[in-house]
Amino acid sequence: MLITVYRYNHEDDFSYKMQEYNIDVSKCNGVMLLDALIYIKDNLDESLTFRRSCGEGVCGSDAMNINGVNGLACITPLNKFNDKVVLRPLPGMPVIRDLVVDMTAFYNHYRRIKPFLQNDESVSYNAEMLQSKDDRKKLDGLYECILCASCSSFCPSYWWNPDRFLGPAAALQALRFVNDSRDNKTVERLSYLDDKYNIFSCRSIRNCMYVCPKGLDPSKAIAELRIKMLNNNI
Amino acid sequence: MKLIPEHSFDAIIIGAGGAGMRASLQLSRRGFNVALVSKVFPTRSHTVSAQGGITAALGNVDNDNWLWHMFDTVKGSDYIGDQDCIEYMCKNASEVVYELEHMGMPFSRLDNGKIYQRPFGGQSKNFGKDGQATRTSAAADRTGHALLHTLYQQNLKSNTVFFNEWYTLDLVKTDNGNIVGVVAVCMETGELSFLKGKCVILATGGCGQIFKSTTNAIINTGDGLGMVLRAGFSVQDIEMWQFHPTGISGSGVLVTEGCRGEGGYLVNANGERFMERYAPNSKDLASRDVVARSISLEIREGRGCGKNKDHVHLKLDHLGEDVIKTFLPGVRDLSITFADVDPIKNSIPVVPTCHYMMGGIPTNKFGQVICLDDNGIEKIVSGLYAVGECACVSVHGANRLGGNSLLDLVVFGRAAGEHFINNHSDINESLVKDSDVEFSARRFFDWNNKKGEHTVSEIRSELKNIMQEDFGVFRTGSVMANGLKKLFKLRDKMKNTFLSDKSLSYNMARIEALELDNLISVSVTVAIAANKRTESRGAHSREDYPNRDDDNWIKHILVNSDDKVSYRPVNVTPSTVDPFKPTVRKY
């Protein structure tokens, strides 16, 4: 299989190059794209750089652009490719080295939506706060996000306004806390979103939903947030 | 002039998994200045992979009592868990789970709105007399993910200072043996810093990467254990490795014990539910060591499934689509991705896979690290704590129960933070010498200067093969003695290993080399301790010593980096109940 990888190290050169590796995939220790990258690093080129951790699609480390589409290398099977694959770092984010990008801005957007439960009531640890099954169900499709950034870095609106648009991932989490029956800052949360960019930069292109490795739909979450703003007269 | 810039904090925490972030939260909430150092962004830590749940006797589904949980845990440990620590963990379990819920952790719910609980292996009611308990709280089958993200969110709220993607090289130790910080490298820039603190809390997780087939993340390389060994201290019970009964055959990816808790069961090639033979009462919910051994025996005796007869089947299809989609959605995804099997329709091929390190850095119930002085007397290492999988408190002994690992993280992460709050003292600055700091940075420069013919990946792959073949589910003296010899040879070969990539910018090759130092240190201690323990207990199952030997082996084995072995007694003095006495362990 011919694997072509974007290479960049500012210590060597300020421009990137595309490097080709021809490998026998039967020698990899597994059937996923990540196994091929590890094979290259272990046997052909120690300097090839990428992030990885869990290897099973739950930690979100190894998001990258695979044949033009964002996804996780560890759950992308090699047999999906027709003997050729081109790998680039996540688009729209500064490259640190090879497939490793600087995700600081992405994490800062997440931080902006106050991604933690806010509840003013006095707290006692003798019992749980009750939550009905139906209320808990409102968190499904939201809390499962792994912050891999596949969505935000594949969103044209995010490319256009990376500093002011929350991006699909942070917006999804905004809804996760708005929807939590145990959180009592709903109005404050929705009011925060009320500007031209935070969620209104979204043009419903739906790339986010298309690439999400966990099958989540941030685009729909943004639509729901807008409706909730209307319903709360914001 | 100082060669390495210095940053001061109240506490330095190494590792941002469940234990590290619970410790940092305890401190930062109270206004302490906390540095949380992690080689990966916090939500990439291995806690994220935990599936089934966190055990606490909430009694939401069925009558329960924390003493029953304690009894099960002592029995599960095969009687070398420290009973004062197990008592502390089980007694505090409900409170820490309620805390997590108040932080916003999205637990699944019961009809009455309380936290959902499911049965897990090794659980019983009324001290083993009244059948299976239902004690493990869960957020579907993504409990670790839910817990880790919640703790990260709370740390954002409480303004913990994150050093994300910083790799810790070593502890900084003064001449009188106090720990005063660490030297760490920023992965993005390659710059070194001395992070100084009144204490260091190690929360670096397990070391499952010493085995070829493991459910552990690639980052689980025993970094904290390596640091402790290099600082001259010991690791404890390190021969005890849990093999999880249900890793997906081929990939090693975990599917939770919760599958069996929800009613799934294992079958062999004949379609027989074989656990009924090995554990007539608990069947598929016997302790993990028992189930893993049973599967291995089925395979060894030719009743394995598939054309190579090398796995068994985990059957879930009888549970129905609703149960699987509601409570086991993550398992279904993994099974489709890694085994090409939809458990709604077909059985998942599974095989015992290295999963958890019961041993680690010896601590008391406050997380304070314990060492032995020259006369073999126990003492506390001043300024050093260890929590989570890297620690050996010891609450898991020779075999951990499912659902007790997440509990261990939050109970002892919190305990260590709380202990520091009540007991900290300022660093005696005159004792901290630049040369101590520079000594702790040496590995960084050593790897730059090393010359030789072997690559890091070559040594690592040899190491994993040795551990897999010689120290697996079943162990034999002669094989292990030979394995230890091979490891000593490999340790020598390491001196002849070089790093070709010397870039400062996000150099993962250098990180992997530094991790290899830790992998090999830990492997040698595993091999030494496993050779030493001439009995079968919990996960340590020897074919040449098939029986448990309570007369000689109710004790902890300690090994240090000089390959020296010493022993500690097991604690049998819980404060609220009489100690549980060793009995024959049947499920």
Side-chain angles (χ1 to χ4, degrees), chain A residues 11 42 46 51 97 107 115, chain B residues 44 153 165 457 500-501 503:
Chain A
E11 288 180 355
D42 282 356
E46 192 175 68
R51 292 189 175 106
R97 183 173 170 182
Y107 295 136
Chain B
R44 326 274 182 228
Q153 293 160 355
E165 302 192 331
S457 69
S500 64
D501 181 356
S503 167

Side-chain angles (χ1 to χ4, degrees), chain B residues 4-16:
Chain B
I4 300 173
E6 173 182 313
H7 307 282
S8 277
F9 295 88
D10 290 318
I12 314 289
I13 298 174
I14 315 298

Side-chain angles (χ1 to χ4, degrees), chain A residues 1 32 55 63 73 76 79 86 115 122-123 153 174-175 193-195 198 201 209 212 218 221 225 227 232-233:
Chain A
M1 178 173 287
M32 299 294 171
T76 301
N79 64 15
V86 180
S122 65
V123 172
S153 99
L175 183 63
L193 304 176
D194 183 23
D195 83 341
N198 279 333
S201 285
M209 177 215 62
C212 177
L225 283 169
I227 292 168
N232 282 276
N233 298 318

Side-chain angles (χ1 to χ4, degrees), chain B residues 209-372:
Chain B
Q209 284 296 325
I210 61 173
F211 288 92
K212 188 172 183 183
S213 172
T214 174
T215 66
N216 281 200
I218 301 168
I219 58 173
N220 285 22
T221 52
D223 297 343
L225 278 71
M227 289 177 222
V228 159
L229 287 166
R230 282 188 296 275
F233 309 122
S234 302
V235 292
Q236 172 177 288
D237 294 347
I238 197 68
E239 71 277 22
M240 297 300 180
W241 283 84
Q242 178 163 83
F243 290 79
H244 196 290
T246 57
I248 295 178
S249 176
S251 68
V253 171
L254 170 76
V255 292
T256 174
E257 186 168 297
C259 294
R260 284 169 282 137
E262 297 290 345
Y265 56 86
L266 297 160
V267 292
N268 61 20
N270 305 329
E272 180 203 4
R273 185 175 178 181
F274 56 86
M275 279 314 299
E276 289 177 337
R277 256 190 289 126
Y278 296 96
N281 298 315
S282 302
K283 300 184 181 108
D284 295 84
L285 285 177
S287 228
R288 285 182 181 170
D289 56 334
V290 175
V291 182
R293 266 194 298 277
S294 309
I295 296 174
S296 297
L297 281 173
E298 288 300 300
I299 293 171
R300 186 186 279 193
E301 289 168 8
R303 293 188 292 278
C305 306
K307 71 174 190 294
N308 297 327
K309 295 176 177 283
D310 59 356
H311 58 266
V312 297
H313 280 146
L314 173 62
K315 188 170 147 48
L316 299 177
D317 55 329
H318 58 287
L319 301 178
E321 193 168 334
D322 271 1
V323 168
I324 291 176
K325 283 189 170 167
T326 309
F327 296 114
L328 304 167
V331 163
R332 182 171 178 240
D333 282 352
L334 290 172
S335 174
I336 291 170
T337 306
F338 287 94
D340 200 18
V341 164
D342 183 348
I344 291 174
K345 299 185 195 113
N346 292 302
S347 301
I348 311 173
V350 294
V351 69
T353 307
C354 162
H355 181 59
Y356 188 85
M357 175 178 83
M358 267 78 72
I361 305 160
T363 73
N364 61 19
K365 66 183 173 191
F366 308 113
Q368 293 178 287
V369 174
I370 293 167
C371 67
L372 300 182

